[in-house]
Amino acid sequence: MSGPVSTIDAPAERTSGHSELPCLEISQDREASVGRIQVRRALPRKGRRAVGAWCFADHMGPASVTEGAGLDIGPHPHVGLQTVTWLLDGQVLHRDSLGSEQVIKPGELNLMTAGNGVTHSEEATGAYRGELHGVQLWVAQPGGTRHGDAAFTHHATLPQCDLDLAVGTVLIGEFAGAASPARHDTALVAVDLALRPGESVLPLRADFEYAAVVVQGAIAIDGRPVVPGRLAYLGLGRQELVLQAAEPTRALLLGGEPFEEPIVMWWNFVGRSREELEAAFTDWDTSSERFGRVASRLPRIPTPPPYWMRGSA
Ligand code: MN
């Protein structure tokens, strides 16, 4: 998770517009590998670079890991974004340049804020062997915080809400009367939905745009199937959303106020201009103090220059 984003994955282009009206766009994720694990990348994609401030979504595994071989993502930097890590199964050890060392398990949330710069690694725990299954999401930080300090928070418990045939766990923001304690810099929501077979009606905010990602099982929205490996973009203007589950299903609902600042993304960086991303690349490439150090046995991840810098030397 939080893997290096290749040129193809995240062209340095402006984020696309949102749909002011309810809609249903179902798009196919792209396969990618991050560390040792195959992922399905739902965001960013052509024509849909962000949903609210959510600008990256990887669905990872399930895959087998051991005590000594896990995700194995060595130290790498981030700028201008928050990483949200959420597991359905397994364990991951997070280390960062703030000195954090935190094992995350299912039901817990790791939230790392990069601000002007942070480095982290995602590793085997030294104890857990079994399946690893989860998601990692990125949130673009707004102008008011993106140059600020880095931070890391682990939330061991999160609020839940009961809908008729669903239990929602609120990772970020507020949903159905339950509010997460996790920090958010823009109006945002993320909910893990455990759906029993049948119809569930979710309360939504008309001023948010939303998307759904299924991580296990299957749902139908307006009669159209949404399965793992698909992103269902729902637009703005919905007061509620009706989901049909034919089997026990886990899905993530992501939403937020449309993020109006035009972002550019390269590798693990979110900024507003190529010049900012070039500076971040150079600072990482030259081991600048900006990104600090992580106490990890894994090797630091190098990156090639942004494609627009290549060939100019
Ligand atoms: Mn990362």
Side-chain angles (χ1 to χ4, degrees):
M1 305 178 290
S2 92
V5 179
S6 77
T7 309
I8 294 167
D9 293 331
E13 295 169 15
R14 294 186 161 211
T15 188
S16 65
H18 45 264
S19 170
E20 292 287 351
L21 296 172
C23 65
L24 178 59
E25 297 172 4
I26 299 174
S27 54
Q28 173 100 40
D29 299 350
R30 280 157 308 128
E31 298 280 333
S33 32
V34 172
R36 294 178 50 253
I37 308 288
Q38 285 294 116
V39 301
R40 287 164 292 287
R41 183 156 298 152
L43 287 173
R45 51 181 311 102
K46 281 197 189 305
R48 184 60 53 208
R49 305 219 173 268
V51 176
W54 300 103
C55 61
F56 182 95
D58 265 2
H59 174 204
M60 167 202 66
S64 294
V65 297
T66 68
E67 301 88 329
L71 267 183
D72 294 351
I73 304 173
H76 61 279
H78 288 288
V79 166
L81 60 90
Q82 294 179 293
T83 64
V84 173
T85 307
W86 177 251
L87 299 181
L88 283 77
D89 200 5
Q91 299 181 14
V92 173
L93 172 62
H94 161 98
R95 296 184 207 265
D96 65 40
S97 51
L98 301 164
S100 314
E101 183 174 321
Q102 179 69 55
V103 172
I104 181 173
K105 299 173 184 173
E108 304 174 350
L109 179 72
N110 273 4
L111 177 65
M112 185 179 73
T113 302
N116 190 53
V118 73
T119 301
H120 73 146
S121 63
E122 290 155 294
E123 311 182 8
T125 62
Y128 176 79
R129 172 185 287 262
E131 292 294 293
L132 183 61
H133 187 197
V135 296
Q136 190 173 80
L137 312 166
W138 295 357
V139 180
Q141 289 185 254
T145 65
R146 71 191 189 93
H147 298 297
D149 290 340
F152 175 79
T153 313
H154 175 76
H155 295 278
T157 58
L158 293 166
Q160 294 193 318
C161 54
D162 273 314
L163 306 170
D164 286 340
L165 290 175
V167 175
T169 304
V170 186
L171 280 57
I172 303 224
E174 190 172 357
F175 177 79
S180 165
R183 165 179 165 177
H184 53 92
D185 295 355
T186 56
L188 207 60
V189 71
V191 185
D192 175 294
L193 297 162
L195 302 158
R196 296 191 293 280
E199 181 177 292
S200 294
V201 180
L202 313 182
L204 300 188
R205 277 176 60 161
D207 60 335
F208 274 19
E209 60 178 339
Y210 289 94
V213 176
V214 174
V215 289
Q216 199 166 63
I219 55 174
I221 301 174
D222 297 343
R224 294 174 63 189
V226 184
V227 297
R230 303 284 192 283
L231 175 85
Y233 176 72
L234 302 162
L236 286 116
R238 290 178 185 266
Q239 303 279 359
E240 63 178 34
L241 177 67
V242 179
L243 300 180
Q244 307 274 354
E247 58 188 289
T249 293
R250 291 287 290 278
L252 282 175
L253 178 72
L254 305 176
E257 284 181 351
F259 193 82
E260 303 289 2
E261 299 176 43
I263 59 174
V264 292
M265 292 177 68
W266 168 258
W267 199 45
N268 294 308
F269 308 133
V270 173
R272 300 294 181 274
S273 68
R274 287 185 170 186
E275 290 71 24
E276 283 183 19
L277 305 187
E278 288 171 16
F281 158 74
T282 301
D283 288 343
W284 180 248
D285 196 46
T286 58
S287 298
S288 155
E289 283 305 312
R290 173 179 181 178
F291 292 113
R293 298 282 181 275
V294 179
S296 172
R297 61 181 172 76
L298 296 172
R300 192 174 186 277
I301 299 179
T303 178
Y307 66 86
W308 63 86
M309 291 175 74
R310 289 175 209 158
S312 60

